[in-house]
Coordinates of all heavy atoms in Angstrom, one line a residue:
M4 N -11.9 -16.7 -2.9 CA -11.2 -15.5 -2.3 C -11.8 -14.3 -3.0 O -12.2 -14.3 -4.1 CB -9.7 -15.7 -2.6 CG -9.1 -16.8 -1.9 SD -7.4 -16.7 -1.9 CE -7.0 -18.3 -1.1
S5 N -11.7 -13.2 -2.3 CA -12.4 -12.0 -2.7 C -11.4 -11.2 -3.6 O -10.3 -11.6 -3.9 CB -12.8 -11.2 -1.5 OG -11.6 -10.7 -0.8
G6 N -11.9 -10.0 -3.9 CA -11.1 -9.0 -4.6 C -9.9 -8.5 -3.9 O -9.1 -7.9 -4.4
R7 N -9.9 -8.9 -2.6 CA -8.7 -8.5 -1.7 C -7.5 -9.1 -2.3 O -6.4 -8.5 -2.3 CB -9.0 -8.9 -0.3 CG -10.2 -8.1 0.3 CD -10.5 -8.6 1.7 NE -9.4 -8.2 2.6 CZ -9.4 -8.4 3.9 NH1 -10.4 -9.0 4.4 NH2 -8.3 -8.0 4.6
L8 N -7.5 -10.3 -2.8 CA -6.3 -11.0 -3.3 C -5.9 -10.2 -4.6 O -4.7 -9.9 -4.8 CB -6.6 -12.4 -3.6 CG -5.5 -13.2 -4.3 CD1 -4.2 -13.1 -3.5 CD2 -5.8 -14.6 -4.5
R9 N -6.9 -9.9 -5.5 CA -6.5 -9.2 -6.7 C -5.9 -7.8 -6.3 O -4.9 -7.4 -7.0 CB -7.8 -9.0 -7.5 CG -7.5 -8.4 -8.9 CD -8.6 -8.5 -9.9 NE -8.9 -9.9 -10.2 CZ -8.2 -10.7 -10.9 NH1 -7.1 -10.3 -11.5 NH2 -8.6 -12.0 -11.2
S10 N -6.3 -7.2 -5.3 CA -5.8 -5.9 -4.9 C -4.3 -6.1 -4.4 O -3.4 -5.3 -4.7 CB -6.6 -5.3 -3.8 OG -6.0 -4.2 -3.2
T11 N -4.1 -7.2 -3.6 CA -2.7 -7.4 -3.1 C -1.8 -7.7 -4.3 O -0.6 -7.2 -4.3 CB -2.7 -8.6 -2.1 OG1 -3.6 -8.3 -1.0 CG2 -1.4 -9.0 -1.6
V12 N -2.2 -8.5 -5.2 CA -1.4 -8.9 -6.4 C -1.1 -7.6 -7.2 O 0.1 -7.4 -7.6 CB -2.1 -9.9 -7.3 CG1 -1.5 -10.1 -8.6 CG2 -2.2 -11.3 -6.5
A13 N -2.0 -6.8 -7.4 CA -1.8 -5.5 -8.1 C -0.9 -4.6 -7.4 O 0.1 -4.0 -8.0 CB -3.1 -4.8 -8.4
R14 N -1.1 -4.4 -6.1 CA -0.3 -3.5 -5.3 C 1.2 -3.9 -5.3 O 2.1 -3.0 -5.3 CB -0.8 -3.5 -3.8 CG -0.1 -2.4 -3.0 CD -0.8 -2.3 -1.6 NE -0.9 -3.5 -0.8 CZ -2.1 -4.1 -0.7 NH1 -3.2 -3.7 -1.3 NH2 -2.2 -5.2 0.0
H15 N 1.5 -5.2 -5.3 CA 2.9 -5.7 -5.3 C 3.4 -6.0 -6.7 O 4.5 -6.5 -6.8 CB 3.0 -6.9 -4.4 CG 2.8 -6.5 -2.9 ND1 3.8 -5.8 -2.2 CD2 1.9 -6.8 -2.0 CE1 3.4 -5.7 -1.0 NE2 2.2 -6.3 -0.8
A16 N 2.6 -5.7 -7.7 CA 2.9 -6.0 -9.1 C 3.4 -7.5 -9.3 O 4.4 -7.8 -9.9 CB 4.0 -5.1 -9.6
L17 N 2.6 -8.4 -8.7 CA 2.9 -9.8 -8.8 C 2.4 -10.3 -10.1 O 1.3 -10.0 -10.5 CB 2.3 -10.6 -7.6 CG 2.7 -10.1 -6.2 CD1 1.9 -10.9 -5.2 CD2 4.2 -10.3 -6.0
R18 N 3.2 -11.3 -10.7 CA 2.7 -12.0 -11.9 C 1.9 -13.1 -11.4 O 2.1 -13.6 -10.3 CB 3.9 -12.5 -12.7 CG 4.6 -11.5 -13.6 CD 4.6 -10.1 -13.2 NE 5.6 -9.3 -14.0 CZ 6.5 -8.5 -13.5 NH1 6.6 -8.3 -12.2 NH2 7.3 -7.8 -14.3
H19 N 0.9 -13.6 -12.2 CA 0.0 -14.6 -11.8 C -0.1 -15.8 -12.8 O 0.0 -15.5 -14.0 CB -1.4 -14.0 -11.6 CG -2.5 -15.0 -11.5 ND1 -3.4 -15.1 -12.4 CD2 -2.7 -15.9 -10.5 CE1 -4.3 -16.0 -12.0 NE2 -3.9 -16.6 -10.9
H20 N -0.3 -17.0 -12.3 CA -0.4 -18.2 -13.2 C -1.3 -19.2 -12.4 O -1.3 -19.2 -11.2 CB 1.0 -18.8 -13.5 CG 0.9 -19.9 -14.5 ND1 0.7 -19.8 -15.8 CD2 1.1 -21.2 -14.2 CE1 0.8 -21.0 -16.4 NE2 1.0 -21.9 -15.5
G21 N -2.0 -20.0 -13.1 CA -2.8 -21.1 -12.5 C -4.2 -20.7 -12.3 O -4.8 -20.0 -13.1
A22 N -4.8 -21.1 -11.2 CA -6.2 -20.9 -10.9 C -6.5 -19.4 -10.9 O -5.7 -18.6 -10.5 CB -6.6 -21.5 -9.6
R23 N -7.7 -19.1 -11.3 CA -8.2 -17.7 -11.2 C -8.1 -17.2 -9.7 O -8.4 -18.0 -8.8 CB -9.6 -17.6 -11.7 CG -9.8 -17.7 -13.1 CD -11.3 -17.7 -13.6 NE -12.2 -17.4 -12.6 CZ -13.1 -16.3 -12.5 NH1 -13.0 -15.4 -13.5 NH2 -13.9 -16.2 -11.6
L24 N -7.6 -16.0 -9.5 CA -7.5 -15.5 -8.2 C -8.7 -15.6 -7.4 O -8.7 -16.0 -6.2 CB -7.0 -14.1 -8.2 CG -5.6 -13.8 -8.9 CD1 -5.3 -12.3 -9.0 CD2 -4.5 -14.5 -8.1
E25 N -9.9 -15.4 -8.0 CA -11.2 -15.5 -7.3 C -11.5 -16.9 -6.9 O -12.3 -17.1 -6.0 CB -12.3 -14.9 -8.2 CG -12.1 -13.4 -8.4 CD -11.1 -13.1 -9.5 OE1 -10.6 -14.0 -10.2 OE2 -10.8 -11.9 -9.7
D26 N -11.0 -17.9 -7.6 CA -11.4 -19.3 -7.4 C -10.3 -20.1 -6.6 O -10.6 -21.2 -6.2 CB -11.6 -20.0 -8.7 CG -12.7 -19.3 -9.5 OD1 -13.6 -18.7 -8.9 OD2 -12.7 -19.4 -10.8
A27 N -9.2 -19.5 -6.4 CA -8.0 -20.2 -5.8 C -8.4 -20.7 -4.3 O -8.9 -20.0 -3.6 CB -6.8 -19.4 -5.8
K28 N -8.0 -21.9 -4.1 CA -8.1 -22.4 -2.7 C -6.7 -22.3 -2.0 O -6.7 -22.3 -0.8 CB -8.5 -23.9 -2.8 CG -9.9 -24.0 -3.3 CD -10.4 -25.4 -3.3 CE -11.8 -25.7 -3.8 NZ -12.5 -24.7 -4.4
I29 N -5.7 -22.2 -2.8 CA -4.3 -22.1 -2.3 C -3.6 -21.0 -3.1 O -3.7 -20.9 -4.3 CB -3.5 -23.4 -2.4 CG1 -4.2 -24.5 -1.5 CG2 -2.1 -23.3 -2.0 CD1 -3.6 -25.9 -1.8
I30 N -2.8 -20.2 -2.3 CA -1.9 -19.3 -3.0 C -0.5 -19.7 -2.8 O -0.1 -19.9 -1.6 CB -2.1 -17.8 -2.4 CG1 -3.5 -17.4 -2.5 CG2 -1.2 -16.8 -3.1 CD1 -4.1 -17.3 -3.8
A31 N 0.3 -19.8 -3.8 CA 1.7 -20.2 -3.7 C 2.6 -19.0 -4.2 O 2.4 -18.6 -5.3 CB 2.0 -21.4 -4.6
L32 N 3.5 -18.6 -3.4 CA 4.4 -17.5 -3.7 C 5.7 -18.1 -4.2 O 6.4 -18.8 -3.5 CB 4.7 -16.6 -2.5 CG 5.7 -15.5 -2.7 CD1 5.1 -14.5 -3.7 CD2 5.9 -14.8 -1.4
L33 N 6.0 -17.9 -5.5 CA 7.2 -18.4 -6.1 C 8.2 -17.3 -6.3 O 7.8 -16.2 -6.7 CB 6.9 -19.0 -7.5 CG 5.8 -20.1 -7.5 CD1 5.6 -20.6 -8.9 CD2 6.2 -21.2 -6.5
I34 N 9.5 -17.5 -6.0 CA 10.5 -16.5 -6.1 C 11.6 -17.0 -7.0 O 12.2 -18.0 -6.8 CB 11.1 -16.2 -4.7 CG1 10.0 -15.7 -3.8 CG2 12.2 -15.1 -4.8 CD1 10.3 -15.6 -2.3
H35 N 11.8 -16.2 -8.1 CA 12.8 -16.6 -9.1 C 14.2 -16.4 -8.7 O 14.5 -15.7 -7.7 CB 12.5 -15.9 -10.4 CG 12.8 -14.4 -10.4 ND1 14.1 -13.9 -10.5 CD2 12.0 -13.4 -10.3 CE1 14.1 -12.6 -10.5 NE2 12.8 -12.3 -10.3
G36 N 15.1 -17.1 -9.4 CA 16.5 -16.9 -9.1 C 17.2 -15.9 -9.9 O 16.6 -15.2 -10.7
R37 N 18.5 -15.8 -9.7 CA 19.3 -14.8 -10.4 C 19.3 -15.0 -11.9 O 19.4 -16.1 -12.4 CB 20.8 -14.9 -9.9 CG 21.8 -14.0 -10.7 CD 23.2 -14.2 -10.2 NE 23.3 -13.9 -8.7 CZ 23.4 -12.7 -8.2 NH1 23.4 -11.7 -8.9 NH2 23.5 -12.6 -6.9
G38 N 19.0 -13.9 -12.6 CA 19.0 -13.9 -14.1 C 17.7 -14.4 -14.6 O 17.5 -14.4 -15.9
A39 N 16.8 -14.9 -13.8 CA 15.5 -15.4 -14.2 C 14.4 -14.3 -14.1 O 14.7 -13.2 -13.8 CB 15.1 -16.6 -13.4
S40 N 13.2 -14.7 -14.3 CA 12.1 -13.7 -14.1 C 10.9 -14.4 -13.5 O 10.8 -15.6 -13.3 CB 11.7 -13.3 -15.5 OG 11.1 -14.3 -16.3
A41 N 10.0 -13.5 -13.1 CA 8.7 -14.0 -12.5 C 8.0 -14.9 -13.5 O 7.5 -16.0 -13.2 CB 7.8 -12.9 -12.1
E42 N 8.0 -14.5 -14.8 CA 7.4 -15.3 -15.8 C 8.0 -16.7 -16.0 O 7.4 -17.6 -16.3 CB 7.4 -14.6 -17.1 CG 6.4 -13.4 -17.2 CD 6.9 -12.1 -16.5 OE1 8.1 -12.1 -16.1 OE2 6.1 -11.2 -16.4
S43 N 9.3 -16.8 -15.8 CA 10.0 -18.1 -16.0 C 9.8 -19.0 -14.8 O 9.9 -20.2 -15.0 CB 11.5 -17.8 -16.2 OG 12.2 -17.4 -15.0
I44 N 9.5 -18.5 -13.6 CA 9.2 -19.5 -12.5 C 7.8 -19.9 -12.4 O 7.5 -21.0 -11.9 CB 9.7 -18.8 -11.2 CG1 9.7 -19.8 -10.0 CG2 8.8 -17.7 -10.8 CD1 10.9 -20.7 -10.0
L45 N 6.9 -19.1 -12.9 CA 5.4 -19.4 -12.8 C 5.0 -20.8 -13.5 O 4.2 -21.5 -12.9 CB 4.6 -18.3 -13.4 CG 4.5 -17.1 -12.4 CD1 3.9 -15.9 -13.1 CD2 3.9 -17.4 -11.1
P46 N 5.6 -21.2 -14.6 CA 5.2 -22.5 -15.2 C 5.5 -23.7 -14.3 O 5.1 -24.8 -14.5 CB 6.0 -22.5 -16.5 CG 6.1 -21.1 -16.9 CD 6.4 -20.4 -15.5
L47 N 6.3 -23.5 -13.2 CA 6.5 -24.5 -12.3 C 5.2 -25.1 -11.7 O 5.1 -26.3 -11.4 CB 7.4 -24.0 -11.1 CG 7.8 -25.0 -10.0 CD1 8.6 -26.1 -10.6 CD2 8.5 -24.3 -8.9
G48 N 4.2 -24.2 -11.7 CA 2.9 -24.7 -11.3 C 2.3 -25.7 -12.2 O 1.6 -26.6 -11.7
D49 N 2.6 -25.7 -13.4 CA 2.2 -26.8 -14.3 C 2.8 -28.1 -14.0 O 2.1 -29.1 -14.1 CB 2.5 -26.4 -15.8 CG 1.8 -25.2 -16.3 OD1 0.7 -24.9 -15.8 OD2 2.3 -24.5 -17.2
A50 N 4.0 -28.1 -13.5 CA 4.7 -29.3 -13.1 C 4.1 -29.9 -11.8 O 4.0 -31.1 -11.6 CB 6.2 -29.1 -12.9
V51 N 3.6 -29.0 -11.0 CA 2.9 -29.5 -9.7 C 1.6 -30.2 -10.1 O 1.3 -31.2 -9.5 CB 2.6 -28.3 -8.8 CG1 1.8 -28.7 -7.6 CG2 3.9 -27.7 -8.3
G52 N 0.9 -29.7 -11.1 CA -0.2 -30.4 -11.6 C -1.5 -30.5 -10.7 O -2.2 -31.4 -10.9
L53 N -1.6 -29.6 -9.8 CA -2.8 -29.6 -8.9 C -3.8 -28.4 -9.3 O -3.3 -27.3 -9.6 CB -2.4 -29.5 -7.5 CG -1.5 -30.6 -6.9 CD1 -1.0 -30.3 -5.5 CD2 -2.3 -31.9 -7.0
D54 N -5.0 -28.7 -9.2 CA -6.0 -27.7 -9.4 C -6.2 -26.8 -8.2 O -5.9 -27.2 -7.1 CB -7.4 -28.3 -9.8 CG -7.3 -29.1 -11.1 OD1 -6.5 -28.7 -12.0 OD2 -8.1 -30.1 -11.3
G55 N -6.7 -25.6 -8.4 CA -7.1 -24.7 -7.3 C -6.0 -23.9 -6.7 O -6.2 -23.3 -5.7
I56 N -4.8 -23.9 -7.4 CA -3.7 -23.2 -6.8 C -3.4 -22.0 -7.7 O -3.3 -22.1 -9.0 CB -2.4 -24.0 -6.7 CG1 -2.7 -25.2 -5.8 CG2 -1.3 -23.2 -6.2 CD1 -1.5 -26.2 -5.8
A57 N -3.4 -20.8 -7.1 CA -2.9 -19.6 -7.9 C -1.5 -19.4 -7.5 O -1.1 -19.3 -6.3 CB -3.8 -18.4 -7.5
Y58 N -0.6 -19.3 -8.5 CA 0.8 -19.0 -8.3 C 1.0 -17.6 -8.5 O 0.6 -17.0 -9.6 CB 1.6 -19.9 -9.2 CG 1.4 -21.4 -9.0 CD1 0.4 -22.0 -9.7 CD2 2.2 -22.1 -8.1 CE1 0.2 -23.4 -9.5 CE2 1.9 -23.4 -7.9 CZ 1.0 -24.1 -8.6 OH 0.7 -25.4 -8.4
V59 N 1.7 -16.9 -7.6 CA 2.1 -15.5 -7.8 C 3.6 -15.3 -7.6 O 4.2 -16.1 -6.8 CB 1.3 -14.6 -6.9 CG1 -0.2 -14.6 -7.2 CG2 1.5 -14.9 -5.4
A60 N 4.2 -14.4 -8.3 CA 5.6 -14.2 -8.2 C 6.0 -12.7 -8.4 O 5.5 -12.1 -9.4 CB 6.3 -15.1 -9.3
P61 N 6.8 -12.2 -7.6 CA 7.4 -10.9 -7.8 C 8.5 -10.9 -8.8 O 9.2 -11.9 -9.0 CB 7.8 -10.5 -6.4 CG 8.3 -11.8 -5.8 CD 7.3 -12.8 -6.3
Q62 N 8.8 -9.8 -9.4 CA 9.9 -9.7 -10.3 C 11.0 -8.8 -9.7 O 10.7 -7.7 -9.2 CB 9.4 -9.0 -11.6 CG 10.6 -8.7 -12.6 CD 11.2 -10.0 -13.1 OE1 10.6 -10.9 -13.5 NE2 12.6 -10.0 -13.0
A63 N 12.2 -9.3 -9.6 CA 13.3 -8.6 -9.1 C 13.8 -7.6 -10.2 O 13.8 -7.9 -11.4 CB 14.5 -9.5 -8.7
A64 N 14.1 -6.4 -9.7 CA 14.7 -5.4 -10.6 C 16.0 -5.9 -11.3 O 16.8 -6.5 -10.5 CB 15.0 -4.1 -9.9
G65 N 16.1 -5.8 -12.6 CA 17.3 -6.3 -13.2 C 17.5 -7.8 -13.1 O 18.6 -8.3 -13.3
H66 N 16.4 -8.5 -12.8 CA 16.4 -10.0 -12.7 C 17.3 -10.6 -11.6 O 17.8 -11.7 -11.7 CB 16.8 -10.6 -14.1 CG 15.8 -10.2 -15.1 ND1 14.6 -10.9 -15.4 CD2 15.8 -9.2 -16.1 CE1 13.9 -10.4 -16.3 NE2 14.6 -9.3 -16.8
T67 N 17.6 -9.7 -10.6 CA 18.4 -10.2 -9.5 C 18.0 -9.5 -8.2 O 17.6 -8.3 -8.2 CB 19.9 -10.0 -9.8 OG1 20.6 -10.7 -8.7 CG2 20.3 -8.6 -9.8
W68 N 18.0 -10.2 -7.1 CA 17.6 -9.7 -5.9 C 18.7 -8.9 -5.2 O 18.5 -8.1 -4.3 CB 17.0 -10.8 -5.0 CG 15.8 -11.5 -5.6 CD1 15.8 -12.7 -6.2 CD2 14.5 -10.9 -5.7 NE1 14.6 -13.0 -6.6 CE2 13.7 -11.9 -6.4 CE3 13.9 -9.8 -5.3 CZ2 12.4 -11.7 -6.7 CZ3 12.6 -9.6 -5.6 CH2 11.8 -10.5 -6.3
Y69 N 19.9 -9.3 -5.5 CA 21.1 -8.6 -4.9 C 22.2 -8.8 -6.0 O 22.3 -9.7 -6.8 CB 21.5 -9.2 -3.6 CG 21.4 -10.7 -3.5 CD1 22.5 -11.5 -3.9 CD2 20.3 -11.4 -3.2 CE1 22.5 -12.9 -3.9 CE2 20.2 -12.8 -3.1 CZ 21.3 -13.5 -3.5 OH 21.3 -14.9 -3.5
P70 N 23.2 -7.9 -6.0 CA 24.2 -7.8 -7.1 C 25.3 -8.8 -7.1 O 25.8 -9.2 -8.2 CB 24.8 -6.4 -6.9 CG 24.6 -6.0 -5.5 CD 23.4 -6.7 -5.0
Q71 N 25.7 -9.3 -6.0 CA 26.8 -10.2 -6.0 C 26.4 -11.7 -5.8 O 25.2 -11.9 -5.5 CB 27.8 -9.8 -4.8 CG 28.3 -8.4 -4.9 CD 29.0 -8.1 -6.1 OE1 29.8 -8.9 -6.6 NE2 28.8 -6.9 -6.7
S72 N 27.3 -12.6 -5.8 CA 27.0 -14.0 -5.6 C 26.5 -14.2 -4.2 O 26.8 -13.4 -3.3 CB 28.3 -14.8 -5.8 OG 28.2 -16.1 -5.2
F73 N 25.7 -15.2 -4.0 CA 25.2 -15.5 -2.6 C 26.3 -16.0 -1.7 O 26.2 -16.0 -0.5 CB 24.1 -16.6 -2.7 CG 24.6 -18.0 -2.9 CD1 24.9 -18.9 -1.9 CD2 24.8 -18.5 -4.2 CE1 25.4 -20.1 -2.1 CE2 25.3 -19.7 -4.5 CZ 25.6 -20.6 -3.5
M74 N 27.5 -16.3 -2.3 CA 28.6 -16.7 -1.5 C 29.5 -15.5 -1.1 O 30.4 -15.6 -0.3 CB 29.5 -17.7 -2.3 CG 28.7 -19.0 -2.5 SD 29.6 -20.3 -3.2 CE 30.8 -20.6 -2.0
A75 N 29.2 -14.3 -1.7 CA 29.9 -13.1 -1.3 C 29.5 -12.7 0.1 O 28.5 -13.1 0.7 CB 29.6 -12.0 -2.3
A76 N 30.4 -11.9 0.7 CA 30.1 -11.3 2.0 C 28.8 -10.6 2.0 O 28.4 -9.9 1.0 CB 31.2 -10.4 2.5
T77 N 28.0 -10.7 3.1 CA 26.7 -10.1 3.1 C 26.8 -8.6 2.8 O 25.9 -8.1 2.1 CB 26.0 -10.3 4.5 OG1 25.9 -11.7 4.7 CG2 24.7 -9.7 4.6
A78 N 27.8 -8.0 3.4 CA 27.9 -6.5 3.1 C 28.0 -6.2 1.7 O 27.6 -5.1 1.2 CB 29.1 -6.0 3.9
A79 N 28.6 -7.1 0.8 CA 28.7 -6.8 -0.6 C 27.4 -6.8 -1.3 O 27.3 -6.2 -2.4 CB 29.6 -7.9 -1.2
N80 N 26.4 -7.4 -0.7 CA 25.0 -7.4 -1.3 C 24.1 -6.4 -0.7 O 22.9 -6.4 -1.1 CB 24.5 -8.8 -1.2 CG 25.1 -9.7 -2.3 OD1 25.1 -9.4 -3.4 ND2 25.5 -10.9 -1.9
E81 N 24.5 -5.6 0.2 CA 23.7 -4.6 0.8 C 23.8 -3.3 0.1 O 24.7 -3.0 -0.6 CB 24.1 -4.4 2.3 CG 23.8 -5.6 3.2 CD 22.4 -5.9 3.3 OE1 21.5 -5.2 2.9 OE2 22.1 -7.0 3.9
P82 N 22.7 -2.5 0.1 CA 21.4 -2.7 0.8 C 20.4 -3.5 0.0 O 19.3 -3.7 0.5 CB 20.9 -1.2 0.9 CG 21.4 -0.6 -0.3 CD 22.7 -1.2 -0.6
Y83 N 20.8 -4.1 -1.1 CA 19.9 -4.8 -2.0 C 19.3 -6.1 -1.3 O 18.1 -6.3 -1.4 CB 20.6 -5.2 -3.3 CG 21.2 -4.0 -3.9 CD1 22.5 -3.7 -3.8 CD2 20.4 -3.1 -4.7 CE1 23.1 -2.6 -4.4 CE2 21.0 -2.0 -5.3 CZ 22.3 -1.7 -5.1 OH 22.9 -0.6 -5.7
L84 N 20.1 -6.8 -0.6 CA 19.6 -8.0 0.0 C 18.6 -7.7 1.1 O 17.5 -8.3 1.1 CB 20.8 -8.8 0.7 CG 20.5 -10.1 1.4 CD1 19.8 -11.0 0.5 CD2 21.7 -10.7 2.0
S85 N 18.8 -6.7 1.9 CA 17.9 -6.3 3.0 C 16.6 -5.8 2.3 O 15.5 -6.1 2.8 CB 18.5 -5.3 3.9 OG 19.5 -5.8 4.7
A86 N 16.7 -5.1 1.3 CA 15.5 -4.6 0.6 C 14.7 -5.7 0.0 O 13.4 -5.7 0.1 CB 15.9 -3.6 -0.5
A87 N 15.4 -6.7 -0.6 CA 14.7 -7.8 -1.2 C 13.9 -8.7 -0.1 O 12.8 -9.1 -0.2 CB 15.6 -8.7 -1.9
L88 N 14.6 -8.9 1.0 CA 14.0 -9.6 2.2 C 12.8 -8.8 2.7 O 11.8 -9.4 3.1 CB 15.1 -9.9 3.2 CG 16.1 -10.9 2.8 CD1 17.2 -11.0 3.9 CD2 15.6 -12.3 2.5
A89 N 13.0 -7.5 2.8 CA 11.9 -6.7 3.4 C 10.7 -6.8 2.4 O 9.5 -6.8 2.8 CB 12.3 -5.3 3.6
R90 N 11.0 -6.7 1.1 CA 9.9 -6.8 0.1 C 9.1 -8.2 0.2 O 7.9 -8.2 0.2 CB 10.4 -6.7 -1.3 CG 9.4 -6.7 -2.4 CD 9.9 -6.4 -3.7 NE 8.9 -6.6 -4.7 CZ 9.1 -6.8 -6.0 NH1 10.3 -6.9 -6.5 NH2 8.1 -6.9 -6.8
M91 N 9.9 -9.3 0.4 CA 9.2 -10.6 0.5 C 8.4 -10.6 1.8 O 7.3 -11.1 1.8 CB 10.3 -11.7 0.5 CG 11.0 -11.9 -0.8 SD 9.9 -12.2 -2.1 CE 10.4 -10.8 -3.2
A92 N 9.0 -10.1 2.9 CA 8.3 -10.1 4.2 C 7.0 -9.3 4.0 O 5.9 -9.7 4.6 CB 9.1 -9.5 5.3
Q93 N 7.0 -8.2 3.3 CA 5.8 -7.4 3.2 C 4.7 -8.1 2.3 O 3.5 -8.1 2.6 CB 6.1 -6.0 2.6 CG 4.9 -5.1 2.5 CD 4.4 -4.8 3.9 OE1 5.1 -4.2 4.7 NE2 3.1 -5.1 4.2
I94 N 5.2 -8.7 1.2 CA 4.2 -9.5 0.4 C 3.6 -10.6 1.2 O 2.4 -10.8 1.2 CB 5.0 -10.1 -0.8 CG1 5.4 -8.9 -1.8 CG2 4.1 -11.1 -1.6 CD1 6.3 -9.4 -2.9
I95 N 4.4 -11.4 1.9 CA 3.9 -12.5 2.7 C 2.9 -11.9 3.8 O 1.8 -12.5 4.0 CB 5.0 -13.3 3.4 CG1 5.8 -14.0 2.3 CG2 4.5 -14.2 4.4 CD1 7.1 -14.6 2.7
A96 N 3.3 -10.9 4.5 CA 2.4 -10.3 5.5 C 1.1 -9.8 4.9 O 0.0 -10.1 5.5 CB 3.1 -9.1 6.2
D97 N 1.1 -9.2 3.7 CA -0.1 -8.8 3.1 C -1.0 -9.9 2.6 O -2.2 -9.9 2.8 CB 0.2 -7.9 1.9 CG 0.6 -6.5 2.3 OD1 0.6 -6.2 3.5 OD2 1.1 -5.7 1.4
L98 N -0.4 -11.0 2.1 CA -1.1 -12.2 1.8 C -1.8 -12.8 3.0 O -3.0 -13.2 2.9 CB -0.2 -13.2 1.1 CG 0.2 -12.8 -0.4 CD1 1.3 -13.8 -0.9 CD2 -1.0 -12.8 -1.3
I99 N -1.1 -12.9 4.1 CA -1.7 -13.4 5.3 C -2.8 -12.5 5.8 O -3.9 -13.0 6.1 CB -0.6 -13.6 6.4 CG1 0.3 -14.7 6.0 CG2 -1.3 -13.8 7.8 CD1 1.6 -14.8 6.9
K100 N -2.5 -11.2 5.8 CA -3.5 -10.3 6.4 C -4.8 -10.2 5.5 O -5.9 -10.2 6.0 CB -2.9 -8.9 6.5 CG -3.8 -7.8 7.0 CD -3.1 -6.5 7.0 CE -4.2 -5.4 7.3 NZ -3.6 -4.1 7.0
E101 N -4.6 -10.1 4.2 CA -5.7 -9.8 3.3 C -6.3 -11.0 2.7 O -7.4 -10.9 2.1 CB -5.2 -8.8 2.2 CG -4.7 -7.5 2.8 CD -4.2 -6.6 1.8 OE1 -4.5 -6.8 0.6 OE2 -3.6 -5.6 2.1
V102 N -5.7 -12.2 2.7 CA -6.2 -13.3 2.0 C -6.5 -14.5 3.0 O -7.5 -15.0 2.9 CB -5.2 -13.8 0.9 CG1 -5.7 -15.0 0.3 CG2 -4.9 -12.7 -0.1
I103 N -5.6 -14.8 3.8 CA -5.7 -15.9 4.7 C -6.6 -15.6 5.9 O -7.5 -16.4 6.3 CB -4.3 -16.4 5.2 CG1 -3.5 -16.9 3.9 CG2 -4.5 -17.5 6.2 CD1 -2.1 -17.2 4.2
M104 N -6.4 -14.4 6.5 CA -7.2 -14.1 7.6 C -8.5 -13.4 7.2 O -8.5 -12.5 6.4 CB -6.4 -13.1 8.5 CG -5.2 -13.8 9.2 SD -4.3 -12.6 10.2 CE -5.5 -12.1 11.4
P105 N -9.6 -13.9 7.8 CA -10.9 -13.2 7.4 C -10.9 -11.7 7.9 O -10.1 -11.4 8.8 CB -11.9 -14.0 8.3 CG -11.3 -15.2 8.7 CD -9.8 -15.0 8.7
P106 N -11.6 -10.9 7.2 CA -11.6 -9.4 7.6 C -11.8 -9.2 9.1 O -11.2 -8.3 9.6 CB -12.7 -8.8 6.7 CG -12.8 -9.8 5.6 CD -12.5 -11.1 6.1
S107 N -12.7 -10.0 9.7 CA -13.0 -9.7 11.1 C -11.8 -10.0 12.0 O -11.6 -9.4 13.1 CB -14.1 -10.6 11.6 OG -13.8 -12.0 11.4
M108 N -10.9 -10.9 11.6 CA -9.7 -11.2 12.3 C -8.5 -10.2 12.1 O -7.7 -10.0 12.9 CB -9.2 -12.6 12.0 CG -10.1 -13.7 12.5 SD -9.4 -15.3 12.1 CE -8.0 -15.4 13.2
S109 N -8.6 -9.5 11.0 CA -7.4 -8.6 10.7 C -7.7 -7.1 11.1 O -6.9 -6.3 10.9 CB -7.2 -8.6 9.1 OG -8.3 -8.1 8.4
E110 N -8.8 -6.9 11.7 CA -9.2 -5.6 12.2 C -8.7 -5.3 13.6 O -8.5 -6.2 14.4 CB -10.7 -5.3 12.0 CG -11.1 -5.3 10.6 CD -12.6 -5.2 10.4 OE1 -13.3 -5.4 11.4 OE2 -13.0 -5.0 9.3

């Protein structure tokens, strides 16, 4: 993979673990839970135990994607929930556009 992956990781401030970004054959996006961190979810890659995978993870502000329990009414977690989902959608779209699709297909 090219420097395009490194650029995407930097732009989204993703943490990285596993295969070197330039050498990765697979990119896995890991999302941490409430009270956890990007750094705490990344070692999950060691448990997978496969070579050639670069694990990347975003960090939620304040270690949570939304303020209330997931069982709370959706409105109680807004606008944080929508912002978190939009952030994940943008990260995934950028990974697809800049990493998975060849430059000739993304133009």
